[in-house]
């Protein structure tokens, strides 16, 4: 082969080799890109599945609903349990701002049954107030809620011991509760319902609750940094209702 043609042939083969390498490199880039996209989709899918599984398998706590004060229809599809302390300012805020909305939107509509349990940890008179509330509950479940509202309305400084037996009886009298006031004072002083208050606190300890208010919606702890976010709470309640209807 003449030198010129030989040179042209070599140049052609070199060009073809370069072209082939470029095509191979392009195919590798496409392949790695496709694999990368697939991996991302797989990771996202697994994350979603993990979140869904976590929600659906979250531990469901059991409560003795039949022996707790209840606001609303006990047969409602969603049951909410509040752990509260009568000396807790955040509980007062929740009771006066969020609970009325829950009552209007859900409780009065027969969609939610609302329960209360004592987590009396702020001071000795937290326990005294819990004893008084349990006494009123055993006299009249409906009046328990009126009394609960009245205690929060008359709440004193959490650093001071204000929830004495006399104070708690006077709160009931000021609200004109149709209960036996002498029995209320006797129940407080003799700690008639100590075992019930202790059981509430023991349940809170078992659940490792860090403060009040703490809510459980159909047995699942409602975790939120802001209990004043009513829209977020509504979403949690609506989700619980959907799960209950399945």
């Amino acid at each position: 082969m003449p030198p010129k043609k030989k040179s042209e042939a070599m140049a052609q083969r070199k060009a073809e080799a370069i072209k082939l390498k470029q095509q191979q490199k392009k195919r590798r880039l496409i392949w790695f890109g496709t694999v990368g996209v697939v991996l991302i989709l797989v990771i996202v899918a697994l994350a979603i599945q993990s979140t869904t599984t976590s929600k659906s398998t979250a531990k469901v706590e059991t409560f003795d609903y039949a022996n707790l004060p209840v606001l609303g229809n006990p047969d409602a599809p969603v049951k909410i349990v509040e752990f509260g302390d009568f000396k807790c300012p955040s509980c007062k805020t929740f009771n006066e701002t969020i609970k009325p909305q829950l009552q209007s939107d859900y409780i009065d509509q027969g969609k939610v049954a609302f329960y209360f349990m004592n987590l009396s940890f702020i001071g000795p008179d937290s326990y005294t107030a819990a004893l008084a509330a349990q006494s009123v509950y055993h006299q009249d479940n409906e009046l328990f809620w009126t009394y609960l509202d009245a205690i929060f309305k008359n709440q004193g400084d959490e650093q001071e011991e204000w929830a004495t037996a006399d104070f708690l009886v006077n709160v009931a009298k000021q609200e004109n509760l149709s209960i036996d006031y002498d029995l209320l004072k006797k129940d407080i002083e003799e700690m008639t319902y100590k075992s019930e208050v202790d059981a509430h606190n023991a349940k809170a300890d078992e659940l490792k609750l860090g403060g009040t208010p703490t809510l459980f919606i159909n047995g699942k702890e409602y975790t939120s940094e802001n209990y004043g976010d009513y829209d977020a709470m509504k979403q949690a309640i609506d989700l619980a209702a959907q799960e209950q209807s399945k």
Side-chain angles (χ1 to χ4, degrees):
M1 178 182 295
K4 183 178 180 181
K5 288 186 176 182
K6 185 176 181 179
S7 177
E8 291 175 352
M10 289 177 64
Q12 184 177 358
R13 284 196 296 271
K14 186 176 181 181
E16 290 175 349
I18 292 172
K19 184 177 180 181
L20 179 61
K21 286 183 179 180
Q22 290 175 340
Q23 290 175 341
Q24 290 175 337
K25 183 178 181 181
K26 185 177 181 180
R27 281 196 293 269
R28 283 196 297 270
L29 289 173
I30 293 173
W31 185 85
F32 282 119
T34 303
V35 170
V37 171
V38 171
L39 285 174
I40 290 172
L41 291 174
V42 169
I43 292 170
V44 171
L46 288 174
I48 293 173
Q49 182 180 9
S50 174
T51 302
T52 304
T53 302
S54 175
K55 288 181 179 179
S56 62
T57 60
K59 185 177 180 181
V60 178
E61 301 296 340
T62 57
F63 296 97
D64 186 13
Y65 295 110
N67 291 305
L68 295 177
V70 58
L71 183 63
N73 182 0
D75 296 324
V78 176
K79 299 181 186 299
I80 298 178
V81 175
E82 176 196 357
F83 280 88
D85 185 319
F86 287 103
K87 292 191 68 175
C88 167
S90 296
C91 294
K92 172 183 171 69
T93 299
F94 174 82
N95 187 73
E96 295 177 349
T97 60
I98 301 300
K99 188 161 72 66
Q101 296 181 76
L102 287 175
Q103 183 159 1
S104 175
D105 295 341
Y106 293 98
I107 299 171
D108 290 346
Q109 305 301 321
K111 299 176 181 178
V112 164
F114 192 87
Y115 299 82
F116 184 84
M117 293 184 71
N118 295 285
L119 173 46
S120 43
F121 72 101
I122 291 178
D125 50 335
S126 296
Y127 196 91
T128 308
L131 291 170
Q134 288 303 110
S135 173
V136 174
Y137 161 59
H138 282 281
Q139 292 197 47
D140 189 304
N141 174 76
E142 296 301 320
L143 292 180
F144 166 87
W145 297 99
T146 304
Y147 189 52
L148 176 143
D149 291 342
I151 296 176
F152 280 127
K153 182 175 67 176
N154 291 278
Q155 186 185 79
D157 190 320
E158 66 178 314
Q159 303 299 326
E160 298 176 3
E161 192 168 333
W162 51 267
T164 63
D166 288 339
F167 176 88
L168 292 162
V169 172
N170 285 334
V171 167
K173 290 179 178 179
Q174 289 169 9
E175 291 296 317
N176 293 315
L177 297 185
S178 54
I179 62 170
D180 186 330
Y181 302 123
D182 291 334
L183 178 58
L184 171 58
K185 186 170 184 178
K186 178 175 180 291
D187 286 342
I188 297 171
E189 292 177 343
E190 297 184 2
M191 306 178 79
T192 304
Y193 297 104
K194 178 180 186 299
S195 62
E196 294 183 3
V197 176
D198 287 347
H200 291 189
N201 285 306
K203 184 66 174 180
D205 289 341
E206 174 193 325
L207 297 172
K208 296 180 173 57
L209 302 187
T212 54
T214 297
L215 300 185
F216 283 80
I217 302 176
N218 277 358
K220 296 180 181 179
E221 185 175 358
Y222 172 66
T223 54
S224 174
E225 294 182 358
N226 182 11
Y227 266 65
D229 187 348
Y230 182 58
D231 288 336
M233 192 172 295
K234 285 180 64 177
Q235 291 178 10
I237 295 170
D238 293 341
L239 178 60
Q242 291 173 11
E243 292 176 347
Q244 187 67 22
S245 66
K246 291 180 180 178

